[in-house]
Amino acid sequence: MRNKLILSLLLLTQIAFSQESETTKDTTVVFKKRVLEATEVDFLASYYKQDGVHSSVSGGIGSENLTDIASNIVVAMPMNDDDVLTIDAGISAYTSASSSNINPYDSANPTPWQSSSGASEQDQLVSLVANYSHSSDNRNFIWNADVSVSMEYDYSSIGIGGGITRLFNDKNSEVSVKANVYLDNWQPIYPKELQVNQGPIFDQNGNNSALYNPNFVEWDSTNRNSYSASFSFSQVLTKKTQFSIFFDLVQQEGRLSTPYHRMYFADKPNFYVGNPLGIPNYQNESNTGTYQLADAIEKLPKSRFKLPIGLRWNYYVNEHLVVRTYYRYYSDNWDITAHTASIELPIKLTDKFTLTPMYRYYTQKQSKYFAPYETHVSTEEYYTSDYDLSTFDANQYGFGFAYTDIFTSAKIWKFGLKNIDFRFNHYDRSDGLSSNIGSIGFKFVMQ
């Protein structure tokens, strides 16, 4: 799992103007406030740590230990009164016990419960997003276009998109439509034993064997394309209440499985490398020197349709407290259904400091293509033991702490510090996965 932080900036302001009359010789000055007064720069950083016992690389068992450190810099620049260019550049670096076992031969004591020392233990994701937005003179119509690119060792992506937003009813109502296309490509990395066998190989009884014969054919295509359309409507109901509804249409085509996710079939014999004495305890964390060779790799359909539908409801209680709520229903044609509900309670402690407790609940019904370790049979058309596609519940607890100074009294060179935002969340999943994530952001304004 990779944690990626991308911040999108779009500031809407009121406009005051008048028009000179040719007949009355009106001398009123025409004035239009800029959409963005000055260049803004955001520095974002996060630290993510997880662990679990259902590694997809090891066919549904094994360590999911992963650490990810990510950082982004987002620069929003006013091009003129109406247009804003935003550049978001990010890098994410991770180490993973799970992915390190793509090559079990890297370790003298291979096991799904510990990290190997090979090159696949770590990787970096580099991303760049450019967004250009234009607002009409009365600020009631906005269009934007964006292009993105990201790259890591075995995966690359290029994206293009755009959208329009219409405000009406004295800016109390807003309708938005967006569309995006992502053209991705794998540089597939397969479990090492499927390409090169390095013996000795042992059967289930710990005897030397030459019968290992996996069901494996390299991919004949490596593309994965995603197409999405998003629709949203928001409405200010009263001075204290605002709500919005949204839904997305997402179609994915191409290689939707992951090439290094192993499969173990119930109707196939088991083969191992390492210490044969560990075979009886293979599924236990006490196994410190035995690794089971793959029967095949994950296989999923080459098409997937997703439909999330959700709403937000915000209520201003008083000058010290706001209630923010969120709900989303999700379904797809892989038979996954899910519900997400969350609440945030920003509490204004002073003019500059805000504390925000938050909670999120998620529940999911599994895909029809999922089954645990050594449960699938080799005659099935599709199969995966990736627990992200399983049935589970999850709870996330956290808080945020923000400092805001609209006068930007603290300065670094030509930039005034406008905001500092820190967040921490703890996540628990019913299948044993748990994680912690902390993030911090600094917003500066050029003066």
Side-chain angles (χ1 to χ4, degrees), residues 55-186:
S55 166
S56 302
V57 176
S58 299
I61 64 171
S63 172
E64 294 180 272
N65 186 279
L66 181 146
T67 301
D68 183 273
I69 299 175
S71 62
N72 283 70
I73 180 170
V74 183
V75 181
M77 299 170 288
M79 309 306 292
N80 50 51
D81 288 350
D82 305 320
D83 298 352
V84 177
L85 174 64
T86 303
I87 304 295
D88 182 346
I91 184 169
S92 172
Y94 77 89
T95 58
S96 169
S98 178
S99 64
S100 72
N101 286 313
I102 293 173
N103 185 357
Y105 307 123
D106 277 338
S107 174
N109 298 299
T111 170
W113 302 102
Q114 295 179 9
S115 175
S116 297
S117 57
S120 57
E121 180 186 12
Q122 55 191 345
D123 196 5
Q124 295 81 39
L125 169 68
V126 179
S127 63
L128 181 66
V129 181
N131 180 282
Y132 193 92
S133 66
H134 172 81
S135 299
S136 63
D137 286 342
N138 62 10
R139 303 302 186 247
N140 286 330
F141 182 80
I142 304 155
W143 65 259
N144 73 88
D146 62 78
V147 60
S148 64
V149 60
S150 64
M151 185 173 297
E152 51 192 314
Y153 181 73
D154 63 333
Y155 199 84
S156 61
S157 175
I158 297 175
I160 56 173
I164 57 174
T165 299
R166 180 75 168 90
L167 291 88
F168 53 97
N169 190 24
D170 292 330
K171 294 184 170 59
N172 289 314
S173 305
E174 179 180 314
V175 176
S176 294
V177 180
K178 300 178 181 179
N180 287 90
V181 175
Y182 295 97
L183 307 177
D184 303 350
N185 189 64
W186 284 99

Side-chain angles (χ1 to χ4, degrees), residues 240-374:
K240 292 189 173 185
T241 308
Q242 183 266 347
F243 88 97
S244 62
I245 58 175
F246 65 87
F247 71 92
D248 301 329
L249 304 173
V250 182
Q251 179 67 36
Q252 292 183 295
E253 303 287 345
R255 289 294 181 178
L256 306 184
S257 52
T258 303
Y260 47 80
H261 284 183
R262 286 181 176 86
M263 290 304 307
Y264 300 113
F265 296 128
D267 60 337
K268 293 292 184 179
N270 298 336
F271 297 94
Y272 305 85
V273 292
N275 185 353
L277 296 178
I279 293 175
N281 297 320
Y282 183 75
Q283 299 183 49
N284 191 287
E285 293 185 45
S286 62
N287 164 29
T288 59
T290 308
Y291 204 96
Q292 185 175 350
L293 303 181
D295 293 328
I297 59 173
E298 173 184 84
K299 185 180 180 183
L300 292 167
K302 293 185 177 181
S303 177
R304 187 179 188 183
F305 177 74
K306 304 177 181 180
L307 178 62
I309 303 173
L311 61 88
R312 298 179 186 271
W313 182 83
N314 299 333
Y315 182 73
Y316 176 86
V317 179
N318 53 44
E319 62 181 358
H320 298 292
L321 177 64
V322 176
V323 178
R324 298 175 182 166
T325 64
Y326 170 88
Y327 170 78
R328 188 189 76 160
Y329 170 78
Y330 169 90
S331 67
D332 64 31
N333 62 347
W334 290 7
D335 281 2
I336 291 180
T337 57
H339 302 269
T340 306
S342 68
I343 184 170
E344 296 185 2
L345 300 172
I347 303 168
K348 197 171 184 62
L349 303 177
T350 70
D351 290 342
K352 293 185 177 181
F353 295 97
T354 302
L355 176 67
T356 306
M358 57 190 73
Y359 170 73
R360 177 181 180 271
Y361 175 75
Y362 179 84
T363 182
Q364 174 177 296
K365 175 189 172 185
Q366 71 184 43
S367 167
K368 57 187 173 183
Y369 307 121
F370 170 82
Y373 165 78
E374 283 206 330

Side-chain angles (χ1 to χ4, degrees), residues 41-45 352-356 400-406 408 410-412 416-423 439-445:
V41 180
D42 287 81
F43 295 97
L44 310 171
K352 293 185 177 181
F353 295 97
T354 302
L355 176 67
T356 306
F401 192 74
Y403 165 83
T404 302
D405 182 3
I406 60 174
T408 61
K411 294 179 174 58
I412 298 179
L417 177 61
K418 184 176 181 180
N419 178 267
I420 302 175
D421 190 2
F422 172 79
R423 292 197 170 207
S439 63
I440 190 167
F442 301 87
K443 180 186 287 292
F444 293 91
V445 179

Side-chain angles (χ1 to χ4, degrees), residues 369-396:
Y369 307 121
F370 170 82
Y373 165 78
E374 283 206 330
T375 304
H376 279 292
V377 294
S378 59
T379 55
E380 294 178 67
E381 184 178 9
Y382 301 113
Y383 34 77
T384 180
S385 292
D386 182 354
Y387 272 73
D388 286 345
L389 302 180
S390 70
T391 295
F392 64 85
D393 301 326
N395 293 279
Q396 181 172 295

Side-chain angles (χ1 to χ4, degrees), residues 45-63:
S46 68
Y47 177 82
Y48 175 82
K49 175 75 172 178
Q50 74 167 41
D51 205 356
V53 294
H54 292 297
S55 166
S56 302
V57 176
S58 299
I61 64 171
S63 172

